[in-house]
Amino acid sequence: HVVTNEETLWKRANLESLVESAVDGYNMCACTYGTSSSFKSSTMFNRSQSILVNISASLFKRIHRDRREVNVSIVAVEICGQRILDMLRPSKSAWGNGNIYVACDERSGYVKIRNATSVRVKNSDEMIETCTNALRRRGMINSAAESSNDKYKDTSVIISVSIQRSDETLVDGKITLVDLADSDTPRIHNDDLSLDNSRSNLRALTKITEALSKNDVSKTLIPYKNDLLTNCLQDCIGGNAKTCFVVCVDSEKSNLNH
C-alpha cells in the first residue's frame, strides 16, 4: 500500500489487528526503513499519530476491554554493528558492564535480551513516556559523532513490548518496534567504522528476507545469528510472527537510487 500520513498508514496496514494478535500470544513487529530525510523515525516514534502512539492506545484499550490480568514490560536497546546499548539505563551503566546478550528459547523461539533493563508499564501514557525517555538516549552508542543529529543516523533502535497474560493458561506475546539505521547513512566518523557497522546490519537483514522468500523455507538455513540485529529480531521475522515493514520514501530526485 502507498500512504501519505500516519492515520492512513494505521488503517491500510491494519496495524490494530497486529496488536490484537500480540495480546493473543503472537509476535508482532513494525519496522521503519528509509533515508535520513524520509521522516521514518518520526513516523515510528515522534509524531502525535506515530506508530508508537497508536499501538500504545490500541494495546491498553484491548487490555481494559478484556479485563484480564496482563503484565506489560518494555526493553529498549540501540544497535550499531555488533554493539548493543541499554537505552533505559543511566548513561554510565548503559553498556551493562558488557553482559547484555541475546538469548533464544530453542523450543518456543522466543527471544529475550538478557540483562537489559525491563520497565513495567500500566497504561498507554506510561508506555509512551518510558519509550520517549529511552529515545532521548539515542546516539550514546556513537558519542564520538560530530553533532547530536549525526549520532543516531547509523544506529538501529529496537523497543520490545512484552505482553504476559495470565488466565486459564499463561500466554506470552510481544510487540517489537524497530527503527532501522538510515539507508543513506553519511560518512560521519573519521574511520567510517559505524558506517560499515550500520550497513552490515542492513545487509544481514536483507539476507534474512531473501532466505525467507525461497519456496521451501523448511530446507533453508535462516542465518539469524550471523548478525546482532537479526539475532534480536529472529522471533519477529518468520515463525508465528506478523511483521509490517514501513518503507519511508523522500520524493526528492536525489533519493531516486534509494
Side-chain angles (χ1 to χ4, degrees), residues 110-125:
Y110 197 83
V111 172
K112 288 189 176 182
I113 302 175
R114 299 290 187 187
N115 298 322
T117 304
S118 178
V119 176
R120 185 175 173 182
V121 294
K122 298 179 181 178
N123 54 55
S124 176
D125 289 341

Side-chain angles (χ1 to χ4, degrees), residues 185-197:
T185 304
R187 294 179 177 272
I188 60 176
H189 299 274
N190 293 331
D191 59 3
D192 292 337
L193 177 60
S194 68
L195 172 67
D196 293 337
N197 284 336

Side-chain angles (χ1 to χ4, degrees), residues 50-121:
S50 67
I51 293 173
L52 168 63
V53 170
N54 279 306
I55 282 179
S56 300
S58 181
L59 171 60
F60 283 95
K61 180 180 178 181
R62 164 66 191 272
I63 291 172
H64 294 153
R65 186 186 72 202
D66 288 354
R67 296 183 179 180
R68 291 172 173 169
E69 183 179 347
V70 179
N71 293 327
V72 179
S73 57
I74 294 174
V75 170
V77 296
E78 183 178 26
I79 290 175
C80 184
Q82 305 313 302
R83 295 180 294 161
I84 186 168
L85 181 137
D86 185 346
M87 300 175 76
L88 288 172
R89 285 191 187 182
S91 302
K92 293 182 179 179
S93 60
W95 293 101
N97 297 322
N99 61 353
I100 300 174
Y101 65 97
V102 180
C104 179
D105 186 303
E106 296 297 334
R107 186 173 64 176
S108 67
Y110 197 83
V111 172
K112 288 189 176 182
I113 302 175
R114 299 290 187 187
N115 298 322
T117 304
S118 178
V119 176
R120 185 175 173 182
V121 294

